[in-house]
């Protein structure tokens, strides 16, 4: 496991890797026993009506824990999940079919609201297990990062998530961009928002509801934009990110705070970004003061890197 940006985290992340390997060796029933206590009983209870309300072999909780077990096993086919269900669900009088069609259909019918509720409850449980937060910090630190997911090539997906710009119609797959907000203390996913691949991560960040006054947001270069540095501090959320690649700094013009720290004034760009309206852009201040830090990252066998980081 390589962590070139944060070498001191290696020993902490290694423990996470060992725990993940332990979960891969467990059965679906053991996964349910270990993690089921973090979810409310009504989260996976059979609904009174609607989808998943019928008394089926692949009922809601069984499919949920089987799917979670499948996710924890990289490149695991649906047949392996069926074997897990057969091992604990078959009796002498009741035999399960060998086809995986029923499980795949039941997995497709998982209520999205129940899955999102399970995500929120697991994140809350992880936060309760880390009451001390990040060592050395008295405020909650959140990390935002985005990625893209390839979706099945269906008409319904294409209507919402179009092809990427480099793909011809009918020759690729729809792409969905997701932005996740993590807790640095527990590592749990606090919230996930999604949109089309061409939507900016900054625009998706505006949809997050979990950021509250007093939080500190960590992000990559995408979150070092003028809009993020100027808008989030207004609501009580501080930002720490790498300097945006389009920004040119002259630390000599700023006020020196330390050996590698400056207080620099940033001017608002003349062009409005596509993720803002003209009114929102005009409401931004003409200039802001940010703290600029230059650090040195050294890895054996590589040239040292000296990235710039900005904070508001």
């Amino acid at each position: 496991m390589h962590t070139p940006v944060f070498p001191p985290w290696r020993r902490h992340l290694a423990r996470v890797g060992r725990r993940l390997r332990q979960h891969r060796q467990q059965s679906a029933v053991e996964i349910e026993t270990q993690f089921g206590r973090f979810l409310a009983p009504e989260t996976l209870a059979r609904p009174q009506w609607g989808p998943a309300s019928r008394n089926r072999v692949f009922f809601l909780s069984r499919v949920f824990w089987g799917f979670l077990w499948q996710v924890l096993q990289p490149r695991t086919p649906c047949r392996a999940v069926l074997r897990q269900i057969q091992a604990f669900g078959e009796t002498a009088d009741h035999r399960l079919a060998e086809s995986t069609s029923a499980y795949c259909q039941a997995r497709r019918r998982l209520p999205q609201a129940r899955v999102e509720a399970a995500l929120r409850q697991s994140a809350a449980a992880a936060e309760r297990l880390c009451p001390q937060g990040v060592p050395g910090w008295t405020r909650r630190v959140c990390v935002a990062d985005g990625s893209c997911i390839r979706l099945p090539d269906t008409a319904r997906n294409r209507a919402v998530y179009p092809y990427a710009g480099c793909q011809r119609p009918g020759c690729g797959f729809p792409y969905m961009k997701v932005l996740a907000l993590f807790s640095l203390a527990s590592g749990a996913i606090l919230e996930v928002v999604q949109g089309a691949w061409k939507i900016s991560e900054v625009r998706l960040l505006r949809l997050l509801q979990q950021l509250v006054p007093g939080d500190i947001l960590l992000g990559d270069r995408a979150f070092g934009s003028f809009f993020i540095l100027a808008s989030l501090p207004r609501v009580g959320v501080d930002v720490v990110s790498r300097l945006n690649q389009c920004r040119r700094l002259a630390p000599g013009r700023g006020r020196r705070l330390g050996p590698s720290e400056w207080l620099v004034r940033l001017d608002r760009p003349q062009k409005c970004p596509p993720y803002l309206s003209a009114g929102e852009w005009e409401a931004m201040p003409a200039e802001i003061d940010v703290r600029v830090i230059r650090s040195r990252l050294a890895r054996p066998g590589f040239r040292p890197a000296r990235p710039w980081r900005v904070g508001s």
Side-chain angles (χ1 to χ4, degrees), residues 33-295:
T33 303
Q34 185 170 0
F35 295 100
R37 56 194 176 96
F38 298 118
L39 304 183
E42 62 273 9
T43 303
L44 300 179
R46 190 177 68 182
Q48 298 296 328
W49 56 277
S53 61
R54 296 176 58 185
N55 188 13
R56 298 175 178 267
V57 174
F58 296 96
F59 49 85
L60 178 60
S61 61
R62 175 176 290 177
V63 175
F64 177 86
W65 293 114
F67 187 29
L68 179 60
W69 178 85
Q70 185 179 12
V71 171
L72 293 174
Q73 318 294 320
R75 298 178 294 277
T76 297
C78 294
R79 185 168 297 279
V81 183
L82 182 62
R83 293 287 183 265
Q84 289 283 323
I85 297 176
Q86 286 176 331
F88 296 94
E90 283 190 341
T91 62
D93 300 328
H94 182 75
R95 306 290 295 179
L96 299 181
E98 292 293 330
S99 175
T100 60
S101 176
Y103 165 73
C104 294
Q105 295 179 38
R107 191 180 66 176
R108 191 180 303 114
R109 291 193 302 266
L110 278 173
Q112 181 177 350
R114 301 290 188 97
V115 178
E116 293 175 351
L119 175 64
R120 292 191 299 268
Q121 294 170 14
S122 62
E127 290 291 281
R128 291 194 300 269
L129 295 177
C130 298
Q132 74 280 2
V134 180
W137 294 82
T138 59
R139 300 166 60 184
R140 188 176 73 157
V141 183
C142 300
V143 182
D145 197 13
S147 182
C148 289
I149 300 175
R150 188 173 63 182
L151 304 176
D153 191 14
T154 62
R156 185 177 179 182
N157 286 338
R158 288 194 299 269
V160 182
Y161 308 105
Y163 291 116
C166 58
Q167 295 178 347
R168 293 183 179 181
C171 297
F173 295 89
Y175 273 82
M176 178 178 67
K177 179 172 289 186
V178 295
L179 179 68
L181 185 69
F182 302 85
S183 169
L184 187 60
S186 64
I189 298 179
L190 303 176
E191 189 179 0
V192 178
V193 293
Q194 65 268 359
W197 68 272
K198 58 183 178 181
I199 295 180
S200 170
E201 293 182 4
V202 178
R203 187 174 179 181
L204 292 177
L205 182 68
R206 302 172 63 188
L207 303 177
L208 294 176
Q209 304 294 327
Q210 291 290 332
L211 287 174
V212 297
D215 288 347
I216 299 176
L217 178 67
L218 299 182
D220 54 17
R221 286 190 176 98
F223 302 99
S225 65
F226 183 89
F227 169 72
I228 296 295
L229 295 174
S231 60
L232 287 187
R234 287 184 173 183
V235 296
V237 178
D238 290 329
V239 183
V240 178
S241 69
R242 290 197 64 177
L243 182 68
N244 192 281
Q245 62 271 20
C246 298
R247 176 71 64 175
R248 296 293 181 266
L249 277 184
R253 299 181 181 179
R255 181 163 61 91
R256 194 178 187 91
L257 302 177
S260 301
E261 302 179 23
W262 295 266
L263 186 64
V264 179
R265 179 158 296 179
L266 299 183
D267 297 327
R268 185 181 66 183
Q270 298 180 357
K271 185 178 179 181
C272 175
Y275 50 81
L276 289 180
S277 64
E280 292 173 330
W281 186 244
E282 290 298 329
M284 291 287 100
E287 56 186 21
I288 58 174
D289 292 331
V290 297
R291 182 183 179 188
V292 179
I293 302 174
R294 191 170 192 183
S295 57

